[in-house]
C-alpha cells in the first residue's frame, strides 16, 4: 500500500548573528494559521560565504529566505532579478527562486506602512514627517512613505551627507529634504526613528522641540518587554503616542509569506502571541 506523504517546504532566515531572530516564530504561526506545510528555521552564514550558502540552500530544495543583518545589501547584489521596490530600496530582505533565477524583494517598506496605516489607523497624507537615520532601513521605507503623500518628509542623520545622498537618490519634488540631527527645525506630526541608536540604549540627538503633544513617535527597533530608549525619551517629551517596530516586523514577514505562498496570513494574533510569550 502506498504511504501518503506530506511534502514540507523549507524556508529560513539568513543572517549573522541570527539566533535571536523572531522570524521562525512568526512564520511558523503564519503557517499554522493558514495550514501551509512549511518548516522555517535559522541559517547562520559566515560573513564571507553569503552567496555560496544561499545558492546551496536553493539547490538543496529550499523555497525561500528572509535576509537580515548584515546581508541585505549582498542579497540585493547577488539576485538575478530585483522587484521595483527592491530596486528603490537598494537592499533586499526576501529571496526566492523562479525559473532558475534568484529573485530579490524588500518588504520592510510595506511592513512599516501597513503597521502605521492599517494596524494603527494613522494617515500620513499631508502630514509633516521626520525620519531619523539614513541607513538601509531608512532607504527601504522612503518610497513607500512618499507614496503616502506627506506634506513634508525630512531625513535627518548624524552623518548629514548620507541623508543628502538619499534625497538625491529619490530626487522627487520639493517635499523631501535632508539635514543633520542638530538642524532639525520645527515640530512634526510623526517622527520615525530609523537609527540603530536604541540598540545601544541611546537616542539620536535631535532637538526635543521636534515633538509636541500631538506627535506620534515610531521606533523601528522593538523591545518585547519595555519601551525602547527612543520611545522612553519621546514619552518624556510628551509625545501623543509611541509605537515600536514589532508590528512592522510582523507585517514585513506577512508580505514575505504572501510572496512565497500566495496566501495572506493575519498578523494580529501573531502580535498578541509574541507579546504574551516574552
Ligand atoms: P544601518 O546600520 O544601515 O544604519 C544605522 C543608522 O543609525 C545610520 O543612519 C546611523 O547614523 C544611525 N545611528 C546609529 N547609532 C546612532 C546614534 N547613537 N545616534 C544617532 N544615529 C545613530 O542600520 P539599518 O538602517 O539597517 O537599521 C536601523 C534600525 O532599524 C535598526 O535598529 C534595526 O533593528 C531597525 N529595523 C527594524 C525593522 C523592523 O522590521 N522592525 C526592519 C529593518 C530595520 P550614521 O550614518 O551617522 O552612522
Amino acid at each position: 500500500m502506498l504511504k501518503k506523504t506530506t511534502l514540507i517546504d523549507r524556508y529560513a532566515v539568513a543572517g549573522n548573528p541570527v539566533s535571536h531572530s523572531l522570524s521562525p516564530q512568526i512564520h511558523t504561526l503564519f503557517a499554522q494559521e493558514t495550514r501551509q506545510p512549511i518548516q522555517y528555521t535559522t541559517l547562520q552564514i559566515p560573513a564571507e560565504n553569503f552567496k555560496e550558502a544561499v545558492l546551496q540552500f536553493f539547490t538543496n530544495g529550499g523555497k525561500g529566505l528572509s535576509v537580515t543583518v548584515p546581508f541585505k545589501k549582498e542579497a540585493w547584489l547577488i539576485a538575478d532579478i530585483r522587484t521595483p521596490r527592491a530596486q528603490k530600496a537598494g537592499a533586499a530582505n526576501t529571496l526566492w527562486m523562479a525559473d532558475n533565477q534568484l529573485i530579490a524583494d524588500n518588504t520592510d517598506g510595506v511592513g512599516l506602512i501597513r503597521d502605521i496605516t492599517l494596524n494603527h489607523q494613522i494617515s500620513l497624507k499631508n502630514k509633516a514627517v521626520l525620519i531619523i537615520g539614513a541607513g538601509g532601513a531608512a532607504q527601504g521605507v522612503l518610497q513607500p512613505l512618499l507614496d503616502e503623500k506627506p506634506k513634508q518628509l525630512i531625513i535627518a542623520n548624524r552623518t548629514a551627507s548620507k541623508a543628502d545622498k538619499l534625497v538625491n537618490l529619490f530626487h522627487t519634488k520639493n517635499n523631501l529634504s535632508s539635514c543633520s540631527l542638530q538642524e532639525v527645525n520645527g515640530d512634526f506630526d510623526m517622527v520615525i526613528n530609523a537609527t540603530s541608536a536604541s540598540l545601544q540604549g541611546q537616542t539620536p540627538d535631535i532637538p526635543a522641540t521636534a515633538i509636541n503633544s500631538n506627535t506620534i513617535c515610531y521606533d523601528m527597533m522593538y523591545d518585547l518587554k519595555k519601551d525602547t530608549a527612543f520611545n522612553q525619551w519621546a514619552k518624556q517629551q510628551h509625545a501623543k503616542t509611541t509605537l515600536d517596530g514589532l508590528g512592522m516586523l510582523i507585517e514585513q514577514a506577512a508580505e514575505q509569506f504572501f510572496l512565497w505562498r500566495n496566501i495572506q496570513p493575519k498578523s494580529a494574533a501573531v502580535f498578541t502571541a509574541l507579546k504574551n510569550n516574552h
Side-chain angles (χ1 to χ4, degrees), residues 110-251:
V110 71
L112 174 72
I113 298 300
R114 277 190 198 150
D115 193 38
I116 292 174
T117 62
L118 298 179
N119 296 344
H120 298 291
Q121 297 282 305
I122 297 164
S123 167
L124 296 175
K125 192 156 189 231
N126 289 325
K127 300 284 168 60
V129 179
L130 172 68
I131 180 161
I132 317 166
Q139 183 173 343
V141 302
L142 272 186
Q143 188 59 52
L145 279 173
L146 287 166
D147 292 344
E148 294 301 303
K149 310 227 176 320
K151 175 175 69 189
Q152 181 190 31
L153 180 56
I154 296 180
I155 311 167
N157 196 42
R158 183 173 61 181
T159 311
S161 58
K162 286 197 206 161
D164 300 342
K165 263 194 198 154
L166 280 190
V167 171
N168 291 335
L169 208 60
F170 282 77
H171 49 78
T172 61
K173 305 125 248 167
N174 42 19
N175 64 339
L176 181 65
S177 59
S178 55
C179 64
S180 68
L181 299 180
Q182 293 73 27
E183 284 167 341
V184 168
N185 193 9
D187 53 359
F188 295 85
D189 298 303
M190 181 150 210
V191 177
I192 300 171
N193 181 26
T195 74
S196 47
S198 286
L199 281 174
Q200 292 95 40
Q202 296 173 354
T203 51
D205 195 13
I206 59 161
T209 46
I211 292 168
N212 67 35
S213 56
N214 281 316
T215 307
I216 296 163
C217 290
Y218 192 110
D219 194 350
M220 281 198 199
M221 224 201 84
Y222 56 84
D223 191 317
L224 292 169
K225 296 199 181 98
K226 58 181 191 321
D227 282 331
T228 63
F230 177 75
N231 282 348
Q232 286 175 31
W233 176 81
K235 277 185 177 169
Q236 286 160 15
Q237 314 317 317
H238 308 292
K240 181 182 173 196
T241 312
T242 53
L243 305 168
D244 77 19
L246 181 62
M248 172 182 176
L249 179 79
I250 295 169
E251 292 298 345

Side-chain angles (χ1 to χ4, degrees), residues 246-267:
L246 181 62
M248 172 182 176
L249 179 79
I250 295 169
E251 292 298 345
Q252 64 76 30
E255 180 71 3
Q256 294 182 325
F257 196 90
F258 175 73
L259 290 166
W260 294 329
R261 309 298 301 182
N262 202 25
I263 181 164
Q264 189 73 48
K266 293 194 183 75
S267 53

